[in-house]
């Protein structure tokens, strides 16, 4: 259980991100798809930075940081998708 404590902050950030996108959806023309593509774009940006820097940095520490950031963004995206799934299930039953 101690090893899972690392994922608490990304899950909380994902929940806050979902809340922000939900508020934007309520008051503007944003949709849940936009939030998904924004998080996916951030993951791809971190991976692209890793791809470029990994070939230039001999120590590899920056590449490791980019991989860690990609993993964190993946957990945030998974939390966002879980929130979207729950909201879509609740809205269909109501």
């Amino acid at each position: 259980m101690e090893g899972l404590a690392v994922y608490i902050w990304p899950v909380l950030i994902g929940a806050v991100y979902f809340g922000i996108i939900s508020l934007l959806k309520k008051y503007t023309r944003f949709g849940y798809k936009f939030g998904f593509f924004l998080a996916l774009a951030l993951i791809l940006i971190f991976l692209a930075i890793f791809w470029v820097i990994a070939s230039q940095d001999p120590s590899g520490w920056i590449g490791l940081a980019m991989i860690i950031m990609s993993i964190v963004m993946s957990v945030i995206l998974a939390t966002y998708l879980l929130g979207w799934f729950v909201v879509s299930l609740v809205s269909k039953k109501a």
Side-chain angles (χ1 to χ4, degrees), residues 39-61:
L40 190 64
L42 285 174
I43 292 171
L44 294 175
I45 287 170
F46 286 131
L47 288 175
I49 291 172
F50 166 71
W51 186 267
V52 170
I53 291 179
S55 63
Q56 298 172 359
D57 184 29
S59 66
W61 288 108

Side-chain angles (χ1 to χ4, degrees), residues 3-51:
L4 295 177
V6 175
Y7 294 107
I8 290 174
W9 287 109
V11 168
L12 290 176
I13 292 170
V16 168
Y17 178 66
F18 180 75
I20 291 170
I21 296 296
S22 294
L23 285 175
L24 286 174
K25 183 181 183 310
K26 184 176 181 181
Y27 294 114
T28 62
R29 297 180 62 147
F30 278 79
Y32 290 121
K33 285 183 185 177
F34 177 76
F36 170 74
F37 289 125
L38 182 63
L40 190 64
L42 285 174
I43 292 171
L44 294 175
I45 287 170
F46 286 131
L47 288 175
I49 291 172
F50 166 71
W51 186 267

